[in-house]
Amino acid sequence: MADASLILALPKGRLLDEALPILARAGITPDAAIASDDSRQLRFKTNHAHIDVIRVRSFDVATFVAFGAAQMGICGLDDLMEFDYPDIYAPLDLGVGKCRLAIAARTDQAAPFDLARLSHIRIATKYPNVTGRWFAERGVQAECIKLNGAMELAPVLNLSPYIVDLVSTGATLKANGLKEVATIAEISARLIVNRTALKVRAAELNGWIDRCRTALAG
Amino acid sequence: MSDSSAKTLLPEGLRDVLPPDAAFEGQMIDQLSRSFAQNGYDLVRTPLVEFEDTLLSGVGAAMGGRIFRMLDPVSHRTLGVRTDITTQIARLAGTRLAAAPRPLRLTYAGPVLRVRGSQLEPERQFTQAGIELIGAEGAAADAEVIAVTSEALAVLGGSGIVVDLALPTLVNAIVGRVDNGLRAALDHKDVAQIRSRGGAHGDLLAAVTAASGPIDAAVSRMASLALPDGARRAWATVVALRDALRESAPGLQLTVDTVESRGFEYHSGITFSLFAAGSQREIGRGGRYLLPSGEPATGATLIIEPLLVALPKAERSRRIYVAAATERAQVRQLQAAGWITIAGLAVSSDQRADARRLGCDHVYEQGKIVPLEKKL
């Protein structure tokens, strides 16, 4: 089984830059072109003949791994929570891409954020599933408006009084006249594995998980 | 939407199966039933639809969210469509076959329906084929069910079969009650979250989770952990099953998942999932459960749809075009020799073109079998 091909899905963007050194210490070095934004390539060779890396949008890493199109991947906990695919295991916290998923409102908003008094709330977010679940657990029905970016505009332009978005320093919120009112989850990147692949190729994939764990400790 | 597309559209998760796939499916189910019957499992057939309260009583109690319901115009009672045949077999074993000698070995095959598919497995109708072994406790019974099922898969040409054992009761034996957050962390094997949500047991649960994998490594990792007594006794059943399988089916690939519990709603002991190298999905599952009377039982259910993807397709018999007005005795002779005969119904001006059009690679002309040359 050692020679069967292994596909590793990596997210585009900042998380990629933080993940590559960890992979290198674990012994997987993709072609240098992967770090270049100019490259139109989607699939890259690595220093192992049977391991290839694909570079996709962070949301799509979870999908490729869930369906077994890629056996392993690196993905933010935010995306994992949003899709909640049953067939993904996330055995390793890579400790990079740290931020939090938070609820924010306008700084000048008069009404306090009081969950006990709310029956319904309107929220603009890229994470409708996580948001809906979080509020439902607290007895509030969330009406989510799906946006793919520039969430901060929603409260300012009265699209919705609240947003749920990733916050790292809070500088973007502040610059747009918003404040954080609650935290939904602390986020960091996970090494993820497809369930079936982990069963059928147990020794091989557990070996890579162990090497990544050692790379983090060292 | 045009009229014709409205007529071809099926409800989500339902589909037609066309030739040759339907034939492969039929052959697969026949072969599985034969393998099970050879091991002493007797075929039973249960209805597609039952009274809702019967379907959801006993072992079926956890299935309420998954069944289609309808009103019976005759009895004015609510009916439910079965979503799992195992629960029906459990009902049979506890009622009509309560007096049958134990251990009771039963096999079944048929379609089931569920309200919702998942994104990964969108089918709402699929076909189950399986066995149940009722009235037997212990590793020998679990080992028999696993060995018989994996042998049946091997007969079908399955390769790279992996049996992933699990013990859904183990986590409860360590922590008692499991809240939703911890359950989600365990389901995704997110060790970081397990540690933070597991409270006083966080580190132990993280170590138990990390022990999952090939069985021998898992057994030695688990042996080094300080498990509470109840958990240690429960784990000993997994070790006993490994030992039993090592003797009866030494070639079988075994892994273990120490914290899996999803989809094992009515199970009370060791459970397992089956995987094959060629499938991106689980191909079957099973495990130990209790009948309402307290009688122990175990079983395995294969799911035909992913099996069709995972297993090599059986060779199709060769098809031969038989000219119109050929004597039936000759046709039967061809069939006895393994041919599938496609009869010409009218005398054709270009018999060979007709034969090709109907997927034949031979024609039967004037008492002779003539191969058709391959068209380029």
Side-chain angles (χ1 to χ4, degrees), chain B residues 28 31-32 35-36 129 146-163 252 273-276 283-285 301-304 307-308 310-312:
Chain B
M28 183 173 286
Q31 181 54 55
L32 286 173
S35 297
F36 295 149
I146 291 174
V148 166
T149 312
S150 47
E151 279 165 27
L153 289 171
V155 171
L156 286 169
S159 60
I161 304 292
V162 175
V163 182
L252 198 59
S273 302
L274 295 160
F275 296 90
I283 55 173
R285 51 172 42 208
T301 304
L302 295 170
I303 307 158
I304 300 300
L307 270 182
L308 280 171
L311 299 182

PDB file of all heavy atoms in Angstrom, chain B residues 28 31-32 35-36 129 146-163 252 273-276 283-285 301-304 307-308 310-312:
ATOM      1  N   MET B  28     -24.613  -9.768  -7.150  1.00  0.00           N
ATOM      2  CA  MET B  28     -23.910  -9.564  -5.886  1.00  0.00           C
ATOM      3  C   MET B  28     -24.768 -10.019  -4.707  1.00  0.00           C
ATOM      4  O   MET B  28     -24.300 -10.713  -3.806  1.00  0.00           O
ATOM      5  CB  MET B  28     -23.565  -8.087  -5.770  1.00  0.00           C
ATOM      6  CG  MET B  28     -22.772  -7.756  -4.553  1.00  0.00           C
ATOM      7  SD  MET B  28     -22.247  -6.039  -4.605  1.00  0.00           S
ATOM      8  CE  MET B  28     -20.978  -6.112  -5.822  1.00  0.00           C
ATOM      9  N   GLN B  31     -24.977 -13.816  -4.615  1.00  0.00           N
ATOM     10  CA  GLN B  31     -23.756 -14.447  -4.137  1.00  0.00           C
ATOM     11  C   GLN B  31     -23.597 -14.280  -2.631  1.00  0.00           C
ATOM     12  O   GLN B  31     -23.191 -15.196  -1.927  1.00  0.00           O
ATOM     13  CB  GLN B  31     -22.543 -13.871  -4.884  1.00  0.00           C
ATOM     14  CG  GLN B  31     -21.215 -14.493  -4.479  1.00  0.00           C
ATOM     15  CD  GLN B  31     -21.227 -16.017  -4.601  1.00  0.00           C
ATOM     16  OE1 GLN B  31     -21.522 -16.569  -5.669  1.00  0.00           O
ATOM     17  NE2 GLN B  31     -20.939 -16.708  -3.500  1.00  0.00           N
ATOM     18  N   LEU B  32     -23.925 -13.094  -2.131  1.00  0.00           N
ATOM     19  CA  LEU B  32     -23.844 -12.867  -0.681  1.00  0.00           C
ATOM     20  C   LEU B  32     -24.805 -13.803   0.045  1.00  0.00           C
ATOM     21  O   LEU B  32     -24.430 -14.440   1.037  1.00  0.00           O
ATOM     22  CB  LEU B  32     -24.189 -11.411  -0.353  1.00  0.00           C
ATOM     23  CG  LEU B  32     -23.131 -10.357  -0.693  1.00  0.00           C
ATOM     24  CD1 LEU B  32     -23.698  -8.962  -0.471  1.00  0.00           C
ATOM     25  CD2 LEU B  32     -21.875 -10.555   0.148  1.00  0.00           C
ATOM     26  N   SER B  35     -23.379 -17.256   0.181  1.00  0.00           N
ATOM     27  CA  SER B  35     -22.303 -17.384   1.174  1.00  0.00           C
ATOM     28  C   SER B  35     -22.871 -17.460   2.587  1.00  0.00           C
ATOM     29  O   SER B  35     -22.434 -18.263   3.406  1.00  0.00           O
ATOM     30  CB  SER B  35     -21.345 -16.190   1.096  1.00  0.00           C
ATOM     31  OG  SER B  35     -20.705 -16.145  -0.150  1.00  0.00           O
ATOM     32  N   PHE B  36     -23.847 -16.613   2.873  1.00  0.00           N
ATOM     33  CA  PHE B  36     -24.430 -16.611   4.219  1.00  0.00           C
ATOM     34  C   PHE B  36     -25.162 -17.921   4.482  1.00  0.00           C
ATOM     35  O   PHE B  36     -25.046 -18.510   5.560  1.00  0.00           O
ATOM     36  CB  PHE B  36     -25.380 -15.414   4.389  1.00  0.00           C
ATOM     37  CG  PHE B  36     -24.693 -14.074   4.315  1.00  0.00           C
ATOM     38  CD1 PHE B  36     -25.350 -12.949   3.827  1.00  0.00           C
ATOM     39  CD2 PHE B  36     -23.372 -13.924   4.740  1.00  0.00           C
ATOM     40  CE1 PHE B  36     -24.713 -11.714   3.764  1.00  0.00           C
ATOM     41  CE2 PHE B  36     -22.733 -12.686   4.683  1.00  0.00           C
ATOM     42  CZ  PHE B  36     -23.407 -11.580   4.181  1.00  0.00           C
ATOM     43  N   ALA B 129     -27.808  -6.110   2.878  1.00  0.00           N
ATOM     44  CA  ALA B 129     -27.772  -7.575   2.912  1.00  0.00           C
ATOM     45  C   ALA B 129     -26.956  -7.927   4.147  1.00  0.00           C
ATOM     46  O   ALA B 129     -25.879  -7.366   4.353  1.00  0.00           O
ATOM     47  CB  ALA B 129     -27.110  -8.133   1.658  1.00  0.00           C
ATOM     48  N   ILE B 146     -18.016 -11.598  11.914  1.00  0.00           N
ATOM     49  CA  ILE B 146     -17.004 -10.841  11.161  1.00  0.00           C
ATOM     50  C   ILE B 146     -16.348 -11.731  10.110  1.00  0.00           C
ATOM     51  O   ILE B 146     -16.165 -11.329   8.956  1.00  0.00           O
ATOM     52  CB  ILE B 146     -15.961 -10.246  12.133  1.00  0.00           C
ATOM     53  CG1 ILE B 146     -16.620  -9.142  12.960  1.00  0.00           C
ATOM     54  CG2 ILE B 146     -14.754  -9.714  11.375  1.00  0.00           C
ATOM     55  CD1 ILE B 146     -15.744  -8.560  14.049  1.00  0.00           C
ATOM     56  N   ALA B 147     -16.024 -12.964  10.497  1.00  0.00           N
ATOM     57  CA  ALA B 147     -15.334 -13.857   9.552  1.00  0.00           C
ATOM     58  C   ALA B 147     -16.242 -14.221   8.384  1.00  0.00           C
ATOM     59  O   ALA B 147     -15.825 -14.174   7.223  1.00  0.00           O
ATOM     60  CB  ALA B 147     -14.856 -15.111  10.281  1.00  0.00           C
ATOM     61  N   VAL B 148     -17.519 -14.539   8.690  1.00  0.00           N
ATOM     62  CA  VAL B 148     -18.452 -14.936   7.617  1.00  0.00           C
ATOM     63  C   VAL B 148     -18.652 -13.773   6.637  1.00  0.00           C
ATOM     64  O   VAL B 148     -18.654 -13.944   5.418  1.00  0.00           O
ATOM     65  CB  VAL B 148     -19.801 -15.392   8.224  1.00  0.00           C
ATOM     66  CG1 VAL B 148     -20.879 -15.475   7.158  1.00  0.00           C
ATOM     67  CG2 VAL B 148     -19.627 -16.738   8.923  1.00  0.00           C
ATOM     68  N   THR B 149     -18.795 -12.564   7.195  1.00  0.00           N
ATOM     69  CA  THR B 149     -19.025 -11.403   6.327  1.00  0.00           C
ATOM     70  C   THR B 149     -17.802 -11.107   5.465  1.00  0.00           C
ATOM     71  O   THR B 149     -17.918 -10.852   4.262  1.00  0.00           O
ATOM     72  CB  THR B 149     -19.365 -10.166   7.182  1.00  0.00           C
ATOM     73  OG1 THR B 149     -20.356 -10.527   8.133  1.00  0.00           O
ATOM     74  CG2 THR B 149     -19.881  -9.040   6.321  1.00  0.00           C
ATOM     75  N   SER B 150     -16.617 -11.157   6.064  1.00  0.00           N
ATOM     76  CA  SER B 150     -15.452 -10.803   5.254  1.00  0.00           C
ATOM     77  C   SER B 150     -15.129 -11.901   4.241  1.00  0.00           C
ATOM     78  O   SER B 150     -14.646 -11.608   3.148  1.00  0.00           O
ATOM     79  CB  SER B 150     -14.247 -10.441   6.127  1.00  0.00           C
ATOM     80  OG  SER B 150     -14.082 -11.380   7.126  1.00  0.00           O
ATOM     81  N   GLU B 151     -15.459 -13.177   4.585  1.00  0.00           N
ATOM     82  CA  GLU B 151     -15.298 -14.236   3.585  1.00  0.00           C
ATOM     83  C   GLU B 151     -16.248 -14.028   2.408  1.00  0.00           C
ATOM     84  O   GLU B 151     -15.870 -14.222   1.254  1.00  0.00           O
ATOM     85  CB  GLU B 151     -15.576 -15.608   4.208  1.00  0.00           C
ATOM     86  CG  GLU B 151     -14.391 -16.178   4.976  1.00  0.00           C
ATOM     87  CD  GLU B 151     -14.799 -17.335   5.888  1.00  0.00           C
ATOM     88  OE1 GLU B 151     -15.812 -18.013   5.572  1.00  0.00           O
ATOM     89  OE2 GLU B 151     -14.137 -17.518   6.908  1.00  0.00           O
ATOM     90  N   ALA B 152     -17.482 -13.610   2.716  1.00  0.00           N
ATOM     91  CA  ALA B 152     -18.452 -13.374   1.637  1.00  0.00           C
ATOM     92  C   ALA B 152     -17.942 -12.274   0.711  1.00  0.00           C
ATOM     93  O   ALA B 152     -18.111 -12.337  -0.511  1.00  0.00           O
ATOM     94  CB  ALA B 152     -19.809 -12.992   2.226  1.00  0.00           C
ATOM     95  N   LEU B 153     -17.288 -11.264   1.296  1.00  0.00           N
ATOM     96  CA  LEU B 153     -16.724 -10.194   0.472  1.00  0.00           C
ATOM     97  C   LEU B 153     -15.566 -10.710  -0.364  1.00  0.00           C
ATOM     98  O   LEU B 153     -15.399 -10.329  -1.526  1.00  0.00           O
ATOM     99  CB  LEU B 153     -16.258  -9.034   1.359  1.00  0.00           C
ATOM    100  CG  LEU B 153     -17.372  -8.223   2.012  1.00  0.00           C
ATOM    101  CD1 LEU B 153     -16.806  -7.257   3.040  1.00  0.00           C
ATOM    102  CD2 LEU B 153     -18.144  -7.448   0.940  1.00  0.00           C
ATOM    103  N   ALA B 154     -14.773 -11.592   0.217  1.00  0.00           N
ATOM    104  CA  ALA B 154     -13.637 -12.149  -0.523  1.00  0.00           C
ATOM    105  C   ALA B 154     -14.114 -12.974  -1.710  1.00  0.00           C
ATOM    106  O   ALA B 154     -13.529 -12.916  -2.792  1.00  0.00           O
ATOM    107  CB  ALA B 154     -12.771 -12.988   0.410  1.00  0.00           C
ATOM    108  N   VAL B 155     -15.219 -13.732  -1.522  1.00  0.00           N
ATOM    109  CA  VAL B 155     -15.778 -14.519  -2.629  1.00  0.00           C
ATOM    110  C   VAL B 155     -16.169 -13.597  -3.785  1.00  0.00           C
ATOM    111  O   VAL B 155     -16.037 -13.937  -4.957  1.00  0.00           O
ATOM    112  CB  VAL B 155     -16.999 -15.336  -2.150  1.00  0.00           C
ATOM    113  CG1 VAL B 155     -17.723 -15.972  -3.328  1.00  0.00           C
ATOM    114  CG2 VAL B 155     -16.574 -16.395  -1.152  1.00  0.00           C
ATOM    115  N   LEU B 156     -16.623 -12.392  -3.454  1.00  0.00           N
ATOM    116  CA  LEU B 156     -17.009 -11.427  -4.491  1.00  0.00           C
ATOM    117  C   LEU B 156     -15.800 -10.730  -5.111  1.00  0.00           C
ATOM    118  O   LEU B 156     -15.952  -9.837  -5.938  1.00  0.00           O
ATOM    119  CB  LEU B 156     -17.946 -10.370  -3.894  1.00  0.00           C
ATOM    120  CG  LEU B 156     -19.362 -10.826  -3.603  1.00  0.00           C
ATOM    121  CD1 LEU B 156     -20.099  -9.785  -2.790  1.00  0.00           C
ATOM    122  CD2 LEU B 156     -20.101 -11.080  -4.912  1.00  0.00           C
ATOM    123  N   GLY B 157     -14.608 -11.110  -4.663  1.00  0.00           N
ATOM    124  CA  GLY B 157     -13.403 -10.501  -5.238  1.00  0.00           C
ATOM    125  C   GLY B 157     -12.948  -9.254  -4.508  1.00  0.00           C
ATOM    126  O   GLY B 157     -12.118  -8.502  -5.006  1.00  0.00           O
ATOM    127  N   GLY B 158     -13.506  -9.022  -3.315  1.00  0.00           N
ATOM    128  CA  GLY B 158     -13.107  -7.846  -2.549  1.00  0.00           C
ATOM    129  C   GLY B 158     -11.662  -7.969  -2.094  1.00  0.00           C
ATOM    130  O   GLY B 158     -11.212  -9.041  -1.715  1.00  0.00           O
ATOM    131  N   SER B 159     -10.928  -6.869  -2.167  1.00  0.00           N
ATOM    132  CA  SER B 159      -9.548  -6.899  -1.684  1.00  0.00           C
ATOM    133  C   SER B 159      -9.333  -5.703  -0.773  1.00  0.00           C
ATOM    134  O   SER B 159     -10.072  -4.727  -0.816  1.00  0.00           O
ATOM    135  CB  SER B 159      -8.572  -6.851  -2.860  1.00  0.00           C
ATOM    136  OG  SER B 159      -8.785  -5.660  -3.575  1.00  0.00           O
ATOM    137  N   GLY B 160      -8.306  -5.828   0.054  1.00  0.00           N
ATOM    138  CA  GLY B 160      -8.012  -4.744   0.984  1.00  0.00           C
ATOM    139  C   GLY B 160      -9.150  -4.511   1.953  1.00  0.00           C
ATOM    140  O   GLY B 160      -9.458  -3.381   2.307  1.00  0.00           O
ATOM    141  N   ILE B 161      -9.819  -5.597   2.379  1.00  0.00           N
ATOM    142  CA  ILE B 161     -10.914  -5.454   3.341  1.00  0.00           C
ATOM    143  C   ILE B 161     -10.335  -5.162   4.732  1.00  0.00           C
ATOM    144  O   ILE B 161      -9.411  -5.842   5.185  1.00  0.00           O
ATOM    145  CB  ILE B 161     -11.756  -6.745   3.411  1.00  0.00           C
ATOM    146  CG1 ILE B 161     -12.293  -7.122   2.032  1.00  0.00           C
ATOM    147  CG2 ILE B 161     -12.882  -6.631   4.435  1.00  0.00           C
ATOM    148  CD1 ILE B 161     -13.314  -6.182   1.474  1.00  0.00           C
ATOM    149  N   VAL B 162     -10.867  -4.119   5.364  1.00  0.00           N
ATOM    150  CA  VAL B 162     -10.422  -3.761   6.706  1.00  0.00           C
ATOM    151  C   VAL B 162     -11.636  -3.776   7.634  1.00  0.00           C
ATOM    152  O   VAL B 162     -12.679  -3.223   7.299  1.00  0.00           O
ATOM    153  CB  VAL B 162      -9.791  -2.353   6.727  1.00  0.00           C
ATOM    154  CG1 VAL B 162      -9.434  -1.945   8.145  1.00  0.00           C
ATOM    155  CG2 VAL B 162      -8.568  -2.301   5.837  1.00  0.00           C
ATOM    156  N   VAL B 163     -11.490  -4.438   8.775  1.00  0.00           N
ATOM    157  CA  VAL B 163     -12.538  -4.425   9.791  1.00  0.00           C
ATOM    158  C   VAL B 163     -12.082  -3.498  10.901  1.00  0.00           C
ATOM    159  O   VAL B 163     -11.040  -3.714  11.518  1.00  0.00           O
ATOM    160  CB  VAL B 163     -12.787  -5.841  10.359  1.00  0.00           C
ATOM    161  CG1 VAL B 163     -13.909  -5.803  11.381  1.00  0.00           C
ATOM    162  CG2 VAL B 163     -13.111  -6.813   9.242  1.00  0.00           C
ATOM    163  N   LEU B 252      -7.018 -11.550   8.278  1.00  0.00           N
ATOM    164  CA  LEU B 252      -7.910 -10.387   8.280  1.00  0.00           C
ATOM    165  C   LEU B 252      -7.214  -9.137   8.817  1.00  0.00           C
ATOM    166  O   LEU B 252      -6.555  -9.174   9.850  1.00  0.00           O
ATOM    167  CB  LEU B 252      -9.116 -10.731   9.162  1.00  0.00           C
ATOM    168  CG  LEU B 252     -10.357  -9.875   9.004  1.00  0.00           C
ATOM    169  CD1 LEU B 252     -10.871  -9.934   7.584  1.00  0.00           C
ATOM    170  CD2 LEU B 252     -11.426 -10.377   9.958  1.00  0.00           C
ATOM    171  N   SER B 273     -17.022  -1.487  11.679  1.00  0.00           N
ATOM    172  CA  SER B 273     -17.311  -0.937  10.363  1.00  0.00           C
ATOM    173  C   SER B 273     -16.413  -1.653   9.378  1.00  0.00           C
ATOM    174  O   SER B 273     -15.291  -2.024   9.714  1.00  0.00           O
ATOM    175  CB  SER B 273     -17.008   0.558  10.314  1.00  0.00           C
ATOM    176  OG  SER B 273     -17.749   1.229  11.288  1.00  0.00           O
ATOM    177  N   LEU B 274     -16.919  -1.827   8.147  1.00  0.00           N
ATOM    178  CA  LEU B 274     -16.140  -2.526   7.128  1.00  0.00           C
ATOM    179  C   LEU B 274     -15.741  -1.550   6.033  1.00  0.00           C
ATOM    180  O   LEU B 274     -16.543  -0.727   5.595  1.00  0.00           O
ATOM    181  CB  LEU B 274     -16.980  -3.653   6.518  1.00  0.00           C
ATOM    182  CG  LEU B 274     -17.348  -4.766   7.483  1.00  0.00           C
ATOM    183  CD1 LEU B 274     -18.542  -5.546   6.972  1.00  0.00           C
ATOM    184  CD2 LEU B 274     -16.164  -5.697   7.675  1.00  0.00           C
ATOM    185  N   PHE B 275     -14.489  -1.656   5.610  1.00  0.00           N
ATOM    186  CA  PHE B 275     -13.977  -0.806   4.550  1.00  0.00           C
ATOM    187  C   PHE B 275     -13.307  -1.689   3.512  1.00  0.00           C
ATOM    188  O   PHE B 275     -12.871  -2.794   3.816  1.00  0.00           O
ATOM    189  CB  PHE B 275     -12.948   0.183   5.107  1.00  0.00           C
ATOM    190  CG  PHE B 275     -13.530   1.159   6.099  1.00  0.00           C
ATOM    191  CD1 PHE B 275     -13.554   0.859   7.450  1.00  0.00           C
ATOM    192  CD2 PHE B 275     -14.059   2.362   5.674  1.00  0.00           C
ATOM    193  CE1 PHE B 275     -14.093   1.750   8.366  1.00  0.00           C
ATOM    194  CE2 PHE B 275     -14.600   3.256   6.575  1.00  0.00           C
ATOM    195  CZ  PHE B 275     -14.620   2.956   7.926  1.00  0.00           C
ATOM    196  N   ALA B 276     -13.232  -1.185   2.260  1.00  0.00           N
ATOM    197  CA  ALA B 276     -12.501  -1.902   1.221  1.00  0.00           C
ATOM    198  C   ALA B 276     -11.595  -0.900   0.535  1.00  0.00           C
ATOM    199  O   ALA B 276     -11.917   0.288   0.459  1.00  0.00           O
ATOM    200  CB  ALA B 276     -13.463  -2.513   0.214  1.00  0.00           C
ATOM    201  N   ILE B 283     -18.466   0.196   3.693  1.00  0.00           N
ATOM    202  CA  ILE B 283     -19.263  -0.736   2.901  1.00  0.00           C
ATOM    203  C   ILE B 283     -20.191  -1.577   3.773  1.00  0.00           C
ATOM    204  O   ILE B 283     -21.023  -2.311   3.256  1.00  0.00           O
ATOM    205  CB  ILE B 283     -18.377  -1.659   2.047  1.00  0.00           C
ATOM    206  CG1 ILE B 283     -17.367  -2.377   2.937  1.00  0.00           C
ATOM    207  CG2 ILE B 283     -17.674  -0.866   0.968  1.00  0.00           C
ATOM    208  CD1 ILE B 283     -16.583  -3.430   2.196  1.00  0.00           C
ATOM    209  N   GLY B 284     -20.040  -1.476   5.072  1.00  0.00           N
ATOM    210  CA  GLY B 284     -20.934  -2.229   5.938  1.00  0.00           C
ATOM    211  C   GLY B 284     -20.604  -1.964   7.391  1.00  0.00           C
ATOM    212  O   GLY B 284     -19.607  -1.313   7.702  1.00  0.00           O
ATOM    213  N   ARG B 285     -21.471  -2.457   8.268  1.00  0.00           N
ATOM    214  CA  ARG B 285     -21.217  -2.273   9.693  1.00  0.00           C
ATOM    215  C   ARG B 285     -22.036  -3.290  10.484  1.00  0.00           C
ATOM    216  O   ARG B 285     -22.890  -3.970   9.929  1.00  0.00           O
ATOM    217  CB  ARG B 285     -21.560  -0.860  10.131  1.00  0.00           C
ATOM    218  CG  ARG B 285     -22.932  -0.390   9.722  1.00  0.00           C
ATOM    219  CD  ARG B 285     -23.249   0.940  10.357  1.00  0.00           C
ATOM    220  NE  ARG B 285     -22.122   1.843  10.321  1.00  0.00           N
ATOM    221  CZ  ARG B 285     -21.923   2.801  11.215  1.00  0.00           C
ATOM    222  NH1 ARG B 285     -22.761   2.961  12.209  1.00  0.00           N
ATOM    223  NH2 ARG B 285     -20.882   3.603  11.131  1.00  0.00           N
ATOM    224  N   THR B 301     -24.251  -5.935   8.602  1.00  0.00           N
ATOM    225  CA  THR B 301     -25.056  -5.514   7.465  1.00  0.00           C
ATOM    226  C   THR B 301     -24.137  -4.908   6.409  1.00  0.00           C
ATOM    227  O   THR B 301     -23.370  -3.998   6.709  1.00  0.00           O
ATOM    228  CB  THR B 301     -26.078  -4.446   7.905  1.00  0.00           C
ATOM    229  OG1 THR B 301     -26.861  -4.980   8.964  1.00  0.00           O
ATOM    230  CG2 THR B 301     -26.970  -4.048   6.746  1.00  0.00           C
ATOM    231  N   LEU B 302     -24.233  -5.434   5.186  1.00  0.00           N
ATOM    232  CA  LEU B 302     -23.471  -4.840   4.091  1.00  0.00           C
ATOM    233  C   LEU B 302     -24.385  -3.898   3.324  1.00  0.00           C
ATOM    234  O   LEU B 302     -25.590  -4.133   3.227  1.00  0.00           O
ATOM    235  CB  LEU B 302     -22.951  -5.932   3.155  1.00  0.00           C
ATOM    236  CG  LEU B 302     -21.929  -6.876   3.792  1.00  0.00           C
ATOM    237  CD1 LEU B 302     -21.665  -8.059   2.875  1.00  0.00           C
ATOM    238  CD2 LEU B 302     -20.629  -6.136   4.090  1.00  0.00           C
ATOM    239  N   ILE B 303     -23.812  -2.850   2.773  1.00  0.00           N
ATOM    240  CA  ILE B 303     -24.587  -1.894   1.990  1.00  0.00           C
ATOM    241  C   ILE B 303     -24.170  -2.058   0.539  1.00  0.00           C
ATOM    242  O   ILE B 303     -22.985  -1.952   0.195  1.00  0.00           O
ATOM    243  CB  ILE B 303     -24.352  -0.465   2.491  1.00  0.00           C
ATOM    244  CG1 ILE B 303     -24.614  -0.420   3.994  1.00  0.00           C
ATOM    245  CG2 ILE B 303     -25.271   0.513   1.776  1.00  0.00           C
ATOM    246  CD1 ILE B 303     -23.938   0.716   4.680  1.00  0.00           C
ATOM    247  N   ILE B 304     -25.151  -2.380  -0.301  1.00  0.00           N
ATOM    248  CA  ILE B 304     -24.835  -2.808  -1.662  1.00  0.00           C
ATOM    249  C   ILE B 304     -24.281  -1.660  -2.526  1.00  0.00           C
ATOM    250  O   ILE B 304     -23.363  -1.865  -3.308  1.00  0.00           O
ATOM    251  CB  ILE B 304     -26.092  -3.425  -2.331  1.00  0.00           C
ATOM    252  CG1 ILE B 304     -26.558  -4.647  -1.522  1.00  0.00           C
ATOM    253  CG2 ILE B 304     -25.818  -3.816  -3.765  1.00  0.00           C
ATOM    254  CD1 ILE B 304     -25.546  -5.759  -1.394  1.00  0.00           C
ATOM    255  N   LEU B 307     -20.638  -1.080  -2.218  1.00  0.00           N
ATOM    256  CA  LEU B 307     -19.969  -2.328  -2.608  1.00  0.00           C
ATOM    257  C   LEU B 307     -19.811  -2.416  -4.123  1.00  0.00           C
ATOM    258  O   LEU B 307     -18.809  -2.900  -4.634  1.00  0.00           O
ATOM    259  CB  LEU B 307     -20.785  -3.537  -2.154  1.00  0.00           C
ATOM    260  CG  LEU B 307     -20.499  -4.108  -0.785  1.00  0.00           C
ATOM    261  CD1 LEU B 307     -21.385  -5.315  -0.563  1.00  0.00           C
ATOM    262  CD2 LEU B 307     -19.054  -4.491  -0.663  1.00  0.00           C
ATOM    263  N   LEU B 308     -20.828  -1.932  -4.837  1.00  0.00           N
ATOM    264  CA  LEU B 308     -20.779  -1.991  -6.299  1.00  0.00           C
ATOM    265  C   LEU B 308     -19.595  -1.196  -6.825  1.00  0.00           C
ATOM    266  O   LEU B 308     -19.015  -1.519  -7.856  1.00  0.00           O
ATOM    267  CB  LEU B 308     -22.067  -1.414  -6.892  1.00  0.00           C
ATOM    268  CG  LEU B 308     -23.252  -2.366  -6.894  1.00  0.00           C
ATOM    269  CD1 LEU B 308     -24.515  -1.631  -7.292  1.00  0.00           C
ATOM    270  CD2 LEU B 308     -22.986  -3.516  -7.853  1.00  0.00           C
ATOM    271  N   ALA B 310     -16.808  -0.641  -4.956  1.00  0.00           N
ATOM    272  CA  ALA B 310     -15.559  -1.156  -4.396  1.00  0.00           C
ATOM    273  C   ALA B 310     -15.128  -2.488  -5.016  1.00  0.00           C
ATOM    274  O   ALA B 310     -13.942  -2.767  -5.123  1.00  0.00           O
ATOM    275  CB  ALA B 310     -15.698  -1.318  -2.881  1.00  0.00           C
ATOM    276  N   LEU B 311     -16.095  -3.297  -5.406  1.00  0.00           N
ATOM    277  CA  LEU B 311     -15.738  -4.650  -5.822  1.00  0.00           C
ATOM    278  C   LEU B 311     -15.620  -4.748  -7.338  1.00  0.00           C
ATOM    279  O   LEU B 311     -16.283  -4.008  -8.065  1.00  0.00           O
ATOM    280  CB  LEU B 311     -16.806  -5.641  -5.340  1.00  0.00           C
ATOM    281  CG  LEU B 311     -16.974  -5.714  -3.827  1.00  0.00           C
ATOM    282  CD1 LEU B 311     -18.009  -6.757  -3.467  1.00  0.00           C
ATOM    283  CD2 LEU B 311     -15.665  -6.019  -3.136  1.00  0.00           C
ATOM    284  N   PRO B 312     -14.787  -5.671  -7.832  1.00  0.00           N
ATOM    285  CA  PRO B 312     -14.679  -5.846  -9.273  1.00  0.00           C
ATOM    286  C   PRO B 312     -16.012  -6.340  -9.829  1.00  0.00           C
ATOM    287  O   PRO B 312     -16.714  -7.108  -9.181  1.00  0.00           O
ATOM    288  CB  PRO B 312     -13.591  -6.914  -9.413  1.00  0.00           C
ATOM    289  CG  PRO B 312     -13.550  -7.618  -8.104  1.00  0.00           C
ATOM    290  CD  PRO B 312     -13.956  -6.616  -7.074  1.00  0.00           C
TER     291      PRO B 312
END
